[in-house]
Structure formats: C-alpha cells, structure tokens
Amino acid sequence: MRIHFATSEVFPFVKVGGLGDVAQALPKSLARRGHRVDLFFPRYTGLPAGRTVARLEVAAGRARARFEVADQGDHDGVRYYTVGAAEQRLWDRPEGYVEKNLASFVLFSRALARLAVSPGWRADAVHCNDWHVGHIPAYLRRRGARCRTVLTIHNLAYQGLFPQSLADRLGLTGYGAGNLLAQGIAHADAVTTVSDRYRDETLSPLHGCGLDGLLRSRGEDYTGVLNGVDYDHFHPGADRHLPARYDVGDMAGKAVCKAELQRASGLPVDADVPLIAFVGRLVKQKGVELLLDSIDELAGLEAQFVVVGTGDRFEHAFARAARFYPNIGFHPDSAERVARLAYAGSDMFLAPSEFEPCGLAPLIALRYGSVPVVRRVGGMAQTIVDTGLGLSFPGNDRAQLLGALWEGIERYRAGQGWARLRDRAMRARFTWDEAARRYERLYRPAAVDAAGGKERGR
Ligand code: GLC
C-alpha cells in the first residue's frame, strides 16, 4: 500500500512531545513491512529547504497559500517531505500541542488532501495525527475522494478550537466547523487513540474533553492501538548520548551514568542513594502541579530528584526548589541528550500524570532500567501497572504519591529484589511491529475485509 503520514512533528527534525517519536518510528515499521510511506510535516522556519518536487495553490475561504513540497530525503525507508509556502510565513516554530496557527494548519491539511489524490502521489490511505491535520478527512470526504483516512488521537485535550470569525474567514461551515479534531473524528474512516485504556476513558465525560459523545457515536470504528518503542533508537547498550553504555548482565555503565547525572544536576555524587527522575513537558497534564504541591515532602525523602523539562509557567518553581533543596536538581531543557542521561542515570522514573493517552516516557525508562512509578491512568495503567513492571498510585493525591515513592525507596534499599525488578523492566518489550499490523488493517478498505458486507466504515 502507499500510505501518506501527516504530522506536525517528527524526530529529529522537530520534536515537541511523544508524537515526534511516534512519527519517526511507526512509518519506519510500516516501511519494513513492505509499504511505501511518505511523511509530510510543516516547513517551520529554520528547517532545511530541501529539494522542491511539487507546487500547489490552496485556498480556504478568503485564506490562500502557494505551497512547495520539498523532499527531505529517505529516513529508514520512509520519504520525508516538508510542506511550506514560498512567500508566506505560515509557521515560525513548532508549537506542538499548543493550539496556534490554526489557519496555517487548515491550508496545510488541504494541501495534503490534494496530494493524496494527485496523479503521481495518490495514496491508498492517509494517516492523520492530532488536531493539526484533523481537517484532512473532512475535506477528502466532502470531495468524494476514495482514499481511506485514519485519525489517531495522541491527546484529546488539544482540539484546534476556532473562533467563529476565523471559521467564517476560512469558509468552514457545518459540523465541527470550529473544532479541527472533531472534524477528523466525525469523518475519518477509522479513529484510533494510543492505548485501549485511554480509549475507554475517553468515552466517559470525565476524560472525554467534551467529545465523548462524538467518540461514542463512532462505535467500533474507534479503537485503541498501543504505541511501541523504537528499540534501535532507545538502547542503553548503543546510546551515543550516554557517557557509558550498559545492558542487562553488564550494568557497570549505569553507575557511570548515575554519577554523571548527579554531577550535571548539582547533586552529591552517591551510588547508593535512590535517584528518581521526571522527564516531560512541564504542563498540568503531566502532574506537575501535584509534584510541586508535594515538593517539601519529596525533599524530605531519602532520595534524590532530577526534573528535566520545559514549560514556562512551572520552570520558575522547579528552579527555586532546586536552589533551595540539596537533593533536587532541575534542567530546564528539552534536549535529547539530557533526557537520555536522566533515563539512564536514574533508578526510578516518576510519571504522576493527570491523564496519559499512552505515556512513552515510562516505556523508554523501562529499557534504561529506571523503574516507573506512575499514576494508574490511561496507557500507563495498561503498560506499567497491569504488567507489574513498576509501582503505581491511583489518585491525584499527595499522600498516595508519597506512599508509592516510599515503597519504591524501601524496595530499592532492600537490594536483591530490586535488581530483579530492574532487569525485568529492561527485558520488557513494546514493539512497533504489532501496532503496524493493526494500522495496516485499518488502512485497508472495509469492503475488502474477509468478513465482507461492510462498506467504507460508515
Ligand atoms: C501525547 C500523549 C502521550 C503519548 C504521545 C504519543 O504526547 O500525551 O501519552 O504517548 O502523545 O502518542
């Protein structure tokens, strides 16, 4: 099959969050399975110009853009293309989850939809990710295009919401005119999210972010497909970002990484003290408020804490805590190198998220031998708790968070049992191959399914 993969970010060109990793790894896995995959992302300011291979003019109401599609080379068997306008600045920098540049993304989506049905480019399926490209399924359906569309929700909290005035300017009318993600959910042939557990949660008003009714209406066309980890890429035995490498059975390098992380974080270098890391965007979703509310108690534990991440609203508070407490370190940084050192140098990985569609960071932490301590929500309830691979707590609650950390610290100090827990974590695998197989079935028109009888989704 020929698959177009539409995304706002892809590692290493642009990465804001987990979507960047997914966009790098899933297409690669599909290509390995014999599909032709073309990946499209916006030409943000500062990205290489690439070689222009197509030009097209796109309009949405009174907004217009002259797009250039530029070849950015082959990456693991996947062809990457940036799409940007010649004389217009549509995007300055990747904002990722932030709902900005809405008009630019509508125009971008139309350009991608047009490509999907153009001679020489024609796709069997377009895989759309998050609100940025939620307009593609709606636009293709309205034009009666025959190609399949799959929409994957990586985060339901960001929907691409429009004020009426902008919807008018872009000529968007009808259902979901002012909500790009809702357009995608309503019109894609198949809708997925990144774990079964999060799928179930989003069907209830508590986690449905106002779209639970619409999601319920999609019935069995809305499914969970668990993300994987690219183990070529996240591999402590081969990771060039680390000061020393290690793997199960040869763990000396992990101690070197721990000492380096302690030094880099301004913490006392001590091999025996349990070191607990948090790596993520500093936003409410990630449980950052709970962390800050508990910071005095955390500082009182016999452990060290390292926080890695950016997010303007919270950086100040973490910086202050790191100055004040000798066992707390903070890196206001989103560089891959710092994140890798935190995974490798820590003994435990804390993920207190309020909600979590999949939660790639704890899965990556497993591979680096950092035992996850997670809140029992979304994908993490499925991958870390149900499997017994880590420790957990149920509520957005200080006492519960501290209880789970305390248990972790006790078990770490007990020694022998800890090495077993850590080795099990390092051996666990969540591969992309299984996910790729599941998506493959969704890319195929329903009419061709063995069961037959079912026409194009709805
Ligand atoms: C978003 C979600 C995260 C998920 C990632 C990739 O960042 O918050 O849970 O792992 O997307 O799907």
Side-chain angles (χ1 to χ4, degrees), residues 352-374:
S353 307
E354 292 182 1
F355 68 95
E356 200 58 82
C358 172
L360 283 174
L363 297 183
I364 295 167
L366 288 170
R367 184 66 188 93
Y368 285 80
S370 182
V371 175
V373 180
V374 303

Side-chain angles (χ1 to χ4, degrees), residues 88-313:
Q88 267 166 287
R89 284 170 86 97
L90 291 172
W91 302 272
D92 271 335
R93 59 194 180 94
E95 306 268 0
Y97 299 84
V98 180
E99 294 162 88
K100 280 196 183 155
N101 302 317
L102 294 149
S104 301
F105 278 112
V106 169
L107 292 164
F108 175 72
S109 295
R110 290 201 173 184
L112 265 47
R114 289 255 304 277
L115 277 178
V117 295
S118 303
W121 291 89
R122 208 177 299 280
D124 297 300
V126 185
H127 191 152
C128 310
N129 294 277
D130 274 351
W131 67 266
H132 314 84
V133 286
H135 181 62
I136 294 178
Y139 187 66
L140 282 173
R141 174 160 293 193
R142 217 182 58 217
R143 292 171 56 115
R146 292 171 58 93
C147 86
R148 284 275 291 181
T149 52
V150 174
L151 172 79
T152 296
I153 301 167
H154 297 266
N155 197 324
L156 195 57
Y158 304 93
Q159 302 180 357
L161 286 176
F162 273 44
Q164 184 63 45
S165 55
L166 184 56
D168 291 344
R169 186 162 81 79
L170 296 173
L172 299 178
T173 53
Y175 184 78
N179 184 324
L180 292 176
L181 190 66
Q183 289 185 21
I185 296 172
H187 295 289
D189 292 305
V191 180
T192 70
T193 189
V194 288
S195 71
D196 299 286
R197 194 65 62 87
Y198 185 63
R199 177 212 177 254
D200 295 347
E201 287 176 0
T202 56
L203 295 177
S204 79
L206 183 63
H207 290 285
C209 302
L211 295 181
D212 47 295
L214 176 62
L215 288 167
R216 281 196 301 275
S217 78
R218 293 305 316 259
E220 58 191 42
D221 288 333
Y222 176 40
T223 53
V225 181
L226 187 66
N227 284 336
V229 171
D230 183 340
Y231 291 106
D232 301 337
H233 199 65
F234 295 105
H235 181 0
D239 195 327
R240 302 248 153 255
H241 296 285
L242 302 180
R245 285 166 273 284
Y246 61 93
D247 211 335
V248 185
D250 175 19
M251 293 295 287
K254 188 163 171 80
V256 177
C257 294
K258 182 169 178 177
E260 177 58 28
L261 178 60
Q262 288 169 324
R263 251 192 305 275
S265 311
L267 300 171
V269 175
D270 178 347
D272 295 328
V273 66
L275 200 166
I276 302 166
F278 170 97
V279 178
R281 288 173 288 124
L282 300 181
V283 293
K284 193 168 161 0
Q285 176 204 338
K286 298 290 174 186
V288 166
E289 287 180 353
L290 178 61
L291 269 189
L292 285 172
D293 283 351
S294 324
I295 207 87
D296 298 334
E297 286 98 331
L298 296 184
L301 293 172
E302 281 180 48
Q304 294 178 336
F305 290 87
V306 171
V307 173
V308 178
T310 56
D312 22 65
R313 202 150 69 84

Side-chain angles (χ1 to χ4, degrees), residues 366 387-390 419-428:
L366 288 170
T387 54
L389 288 169
R420 271 202 305 277
L421 186 61
R422 188 197 59 204
D423 289 357
R424 240 191 103 219
M426 292 182 75
R427 287 204 176 92

